[in-house]
Amino acid sequence: MSGFFITGTDTEIGKTYVTCLLIRDLCARGFRASGYKPLACGDRGDALAMLEAAGSELAPDRVNPVSLRAATAPYIAAELERRRIQPEELLHGYRALASEYSPVLVEGAGGWEVPIAPGYVMADLARDLALPVILVVGNKLGAVNHALMTVKAIRAAGLECRSIVLNHMAENWDTAAVTNRRLLQEFCDVPVAAELIHGQTSIDSAAVLEPSA
């Protein structure tokens, strides 16, 4: 398990939450795991949460090489600072971590097609990393549509969507939240490896990262 790319059907649907749960479980199983947030917009909270989950004393720059002040798409956030994001810097940061830690969980920013630099989106970064993809789906109305489109896009990039994590973002469940898992299992051939209730504090990393094992 050298690494995995964690993406989501949208922003604010629990990618960091799921990533941190996976890191904690991997470390408890004896793996030397690390998170990697190549791009952070707004603040470094996600990267710091990953460091805490791993019990790591790495410098934040190691797990988050590009930190931008504006909470918007990386392309725009960089423009506001008169910067241009260099994809090679993001790839180099991953390779450096992967030479010391395994697995490295790479968390994208926003969704699958978020712009990073001219002619370069999040899907391009995932393709350049060539890692299996874990899809976090926020369990709400519209989730099935977004999940099916994202799985198709992942495969169109030549990548494997390894599993889906369905995340309940609210305590109360409506009809969509109750039925989304069944629809995903019927209409998508990617396994729903975990369904997290709101506030859940554990996850089976083996089931999510190696569902066919």
Side-chain angles (χ1 to χ4, degrees):
M1 294 196 296
S2 61
F4 298 87
F5 191 91
I6 315 294
T7 193
T9 48
D10 202 349
T11 190
E12 301 297 331
I13 47 80
K15 293 189 303 299
T16 303
Y17 165 62
V18 170
T19 301
C20 289
L21 289 182
L22 290 169
I23 291 170
R24 287 193 189 96
D25 191 66
L26 285 164
C27 290
R29 293 171 184 263
F31 288 92
R32 186 171 163 80
S34 176
Y36 182 56
K37 182 78 174 183
L39 295 156
C41 300
D43 59 48
R44 270 188 162 161
D46 293 351
L48 296 177
M50 291 177 185
L51 287 170
E52 181 181 0
S56 175
E57 296 183 356
L58 283 172
D61 285 346
R62 291 290 311 278
V63 297
N64 173 222
V66 176
S67 177
L68 301 163
R69 292 188 294 273
T72 185
Y75 189 133
I76 298 300
E79 276 193 343
L80 292 173
E81 298 182 26
R82 298 185 178 181
R83 295 175 59 181
R84 177 173 288 189
I85 297 168
Q86 302 298 327
E88 184 55 38
E89 178 184 1
L90 310 179
L91 298 170
H92 174 77
Y94 168 77
R95 296 181 192 120
L97 271 184
S99 70
E100 303 174 41
Y101 297 87
S102 180
V104 175
L105 304 188
V106 182
E107 184 196 335
W112 186 247
E113 295 286 351
V114 169
I116 295 175
Y120 196 85
V121 299
M122 196 63 62
D124 296 315
L125 176 61
R127 184 169 52 242
D128 288 343
L129 289 167
L131 299 174
V133 179
I134 308 300
L135 176 60
V136 179
V137 178
N139 195 4
K140 60 182 180 177
L141 185 64
V144 174
N145 175 60
H146 292 158
L148 294 178
M149 289 193 299
T150 305
V151 169
K152 287 182 180 179
I154 291 168
R155 289 173 170 166
L159 297 171
E160 175 195 4
C161 188
R162 178 67 58 87
S163 68
I164 289 171
V165 175
L166 190 60
N167 180 37
H168 289 270
M169 303 184 308
E171 293 184 9
N172 297 324
W173 294 22
D174 58 16
T175 303
V178 172
T179 58
N180 279 341
R181 180 168 188 164
R182 180 175 68 84
L183 287 174
L184 285 171
Q185 291 172 327
E186 181 174 348
F187 287 91
C188 183
D189 59 357
V190 176
V192 180
E195 183 174 1
L196 304 179
I197 64 172
H198 182 68
Q200 185 168 328
T201 58
S202 64
I203 196 170
D204 182 349
S205 60
V208 173
L209 303 179
E210 301 288 348
S212 61

